[in-house]
Amino acid sequence: DIDHLNLRVQKELVEWLNWLKADIGFDGWRFDFAKGYSADVAKIYIDRSEPSFAVAEIWTSLAYGGNGRPNLNQDQHRQELVNWVDKVGGKGPATTFDFTTKGILNVAVEGELWRLRGTDGKAPGMIGWWPAKAVTFVDNHDTGSTQHMWPFPSDRVMQGYAYILTHPGTPCIFYDHFFDWGLKEEIDRLVSVRTRHGIHSESKLQIIEADADLYLAEIDGKVIVKLGPRYDVGNLIPGGFKVAAHGNDYAVW
């Protein structure tokens, strides 16, 4: 175990981070198991090494109801993520992985897409509160891959990417999905839509519909995304929009 409260440990870790930056060329940090030490300590490392980007892994359980399903309201879960960024310094480079969005998406794509509209009408994850500081993802080396600790439904992975790659937040693509699953071209298409239309971490999200079998949202008035098996949504798509990407139970205009 590392004693992060030990001043010598802090000093040597900061020196190592600055060596990684100056000599090796790293410009950002990922804080693994960030709930294992205080945000005050993380702030020391960030302030004294000045990365251009930093993201923390704060992985806690969602709130579950008596039926074993996640509650619709996950405010406490995303508040924990927001609190960490606040304490480290909201104006700096610190962000957190949006585990709230990941957990809700996992369940929503299994016929519960109504979950993607929170009680306030906004996105229910951290991206609904502080999208500039939310790093969205479908799976990572812990949740998916060989560890398989909280995997996204494997036959609906592209619905997850259609969501995060069109929505606010900073989306993160999982190596396995891109290189090993044969999804490179489909993911690339979504990335190019995001890039072409300038969708960014603070883009404006308007949720048009969120039912069991349909989620429909417009981003920055430029992109519309549909998740779910409902096919006939033409009456909900404004004139002038053309399909730019589509796949199993998703489409992007």
Side-chain angles (χ1 to χ4, degrees), residues 187-237:
I187 292 173
D188 266 341
R189 238 185 328 267
L190 292 169
V191 170
S192 66
V193 169
R194 184 181 185 88
T195 306
R196 193 162 62 243
H197 294 286
I199 305 299
H200 54 88
S201 64
E202 295 183 87
S203 284
K204 186 185 175 204
L205 172 68
Q206 182 198 350
I207 298 170
I208 301 167
E209 200 75 63
D211 294 330
D213 64 342
L214 172 69
Y215 172 79
L216 196 68
E218 188 175 308
I219 301 89
D220 282 348
K222 299 174 182 176
V223 171
I224 293 176
V225 61
K226 183 211 90 157
L227 306 183
R230 194 187 301 180
Y231 182 75
D232 186 15
V233 295
N235 60 317
L236 296 171
I237 308 297

Side-chain angles (χ1 to χ4, degrees), residues 31 33-35 39 42 54-62 74-90 94-104 124-137 150:
F31 288 89
F33 192 65
K35 63 179 183 177
V55 58
E57 179 201 44
I58 302 161
W59 184 358
T60 56
S61 177
L62 295 180
Q74 296 291 339
D75 287 358
Q76 189 175 344
H77 193 268
R78 56 180 172 171
Q79 187 66 54
E80 204 172 338
L81 304 178
V82 165
N83 289 348
W84 189 90
V85 175
D86 259 337
K87 285 180 182 171
V88 172
T95 65
T96 65
F97 286 112
D98 190 350
F99 275 92
T100 318
T101 289
K102 151 72 172 166
I104 293 168
M126 189 182 176
I127 57 170
W129 278 1
W130 203 356
K133 297 296 183 177
V135 176
T136 52
F137 67 104
W150 200 26

Side-chain angles (χ1 to χ4, degrees), residues 4 32-38 57:
H4 288 283
D32 192 50
F33 192 65
K35 63 179 183 177
Y37 45 92
S38 73
E57 179 201 44

Side-chain angles (χ1 to χ4, degrees), residues 31-155:
F31 288 89
D32 192 50
F33 192 65
K35 63 179 183 177
Y37 45 92
S38 73
D40 296 329
V41 168
K43 178 173 168 58
I44 290 169
Y45 298 142
I46 290 173
D47 288 352
R48 295 181 189 173
S49 65
E50 298 184 339
S52 61
F53 181 74
V55 58
E57 179 201 44
I58 302 161
W59 184 358
T60 56
S61 177
L62 295 180
Y64 289 86
N67 61 357
R69 308 293 288 167
N71 295 337
L72 176 62
N73 186 320
Q74 296 291 339
D75 287 358
Q76 189 175 344
H77 193 268
R78 56 180 172 171
Q79 187 66 54
E80 204 172 338
L81 304 178
V82 165
N83 289 348
W84 189 90
V85 175
D86 259 337
K87 285 180 182 171
V88 172
K91 291 182 179 175
T95 65
T96 65
F97 286 112
D98 190 350
F99 275 92
T100 318
T101 289
K102 151 72 172 166
I104 293 168
L105 257 182
N106 264 29
V107 182
V109 296
E110 300 271 35
E112 298 182 6
L113 290 165
W114 48 265
R115 291 181 178 274
L116 296 179
R117 176 158 49 197
T119 50
D120 58 1
K122 298 179 181 178
M126 189 182 176
I127 57 170
W129 278 1
W130 203 356
K133 297 296 183 177
V135 176
T136 52
F137 67 104
V138 174
D139 264 327
N140 63 27
H141 61 284
D142 289 321
T143 67
S145 198
T146 51
Q147 298 203 62
H148 223 59
M149 292 167 71
W150 200 26
F152 204 85
S154 59
D155 59 336

